[in-house]
Amino acid sequence: MKTHLQKLEQKSYEANTKLYHHFTEIREPNAIARRLSLLLTEMQQYARASINAHQNKTEQKEFLSILYRNADETNEMYTMLQNVSPINLQVEINSISDILVELVPNIVEEYGREETLFIITPRFQQLSNVWR
């Protein structure tokens, strides 16, 4: 689980850096980009917090749940950003989703299938086929 969370932290950082450089270069203030940046920063923080909370299952479960909800919001925010800006973060956003899908079996192993359904969002439940 730790490796996946470290990858997630790294990909969030990469996406946020690319976003920052794009909007710094063109000097275009964009509220959607700022919100997306905050979500990516929060994802980094909660990935790190989840790694550090590996001894406290209740706290780690909360952090994991936040990560999945955050990823859903990140996807939505990126979709809105695509409509108003030429920036392309598709690879980074897809990587974040892929890492979270790959993390699901670890969560099932750690918390059980039933509890996992409360941790991960419906979108990731569907993507990971956790229902089967």
Side-chain angles (χ1 to χ4, degrees):
M1 188 178 309
K2 182 178 179 180
T3 305
H4 287 94
L5 292 168
Q6 288 170 331
K7 285 183 195 175
L8 179 63
E9 184 180 24
Q10 181 61 36
K11 286 297 175 186
S12 301
Y13 174 78
E14 290 171 12
N16 206 3
T17 302
K18 189 173 179 181
L19 183 67
Y20 174 78
H21 287 299
H22 174 77
F23 284 99
T24 302
E25 286 175 14
I26 62 172
R27 297 176 194 261
E28 174 189 318
N30 187 309
I32 296 171
R34 279 192 225 126
R35 285 189 215 120
L36 180 57
S37 179
L38 289 171
L39 286 168
L40 291 166
T41 299
E42 187 176 77
M43 190 173 291
Q44 293 170 50
Q45 292 169 344
Y46 280 103
R48 175 61 41 203
S50 186
I51 291 168
N52 293 335
H54 72 279
Q55 298 293 336
N56 184 340
K57 285 189 175 194
T58 303
E59 192 174 70
Q60 186 178 46
K61 182 170 72 171
E62 183 180 325
F63 293 151
L64 290 168
S65 180
I66 291 169
L67 283 171
Y68 282 94
R69 289 191 314 261
N70 186 296
D72 281 344
E73 291 174 41
T74 299
N75 251 355
E76 290 297 319
M77 199 61 60
Y78 178 62
T79 300
M80 288 191 290
L81 183 63
Q82 285 179 304
N83 293 325
V84 297
S85 174
I87 188 166
N88 185 355
L89 297 173
Q90 196 64 53
V91 171
E92 291 83 357
I93 300 298
N94 286 346
S95 292
I96 288 168
S97 291
D98 292 345
I99 292 165
L100 287 168
V101 168
E102 292 171 10
L103 185 59
V104 171
N106 295 306
I107 296 172
V108 171
E109 185 180 309
E110 186 75 26
Y111 296 97
R113 189 174 167 277
E114 187 175 322
E115 193 66 27
T116 298
L117 295 175
F118 292 104
I119 296 170
I120 65 175
T121 60
R123 176 175 167 260
F124 285 99
Q125 291 174 17
Q126 184 179 12
L127 289 173
S128 66
N129 293 319
V130 76
W131 294 330
R132 294 183 183 148

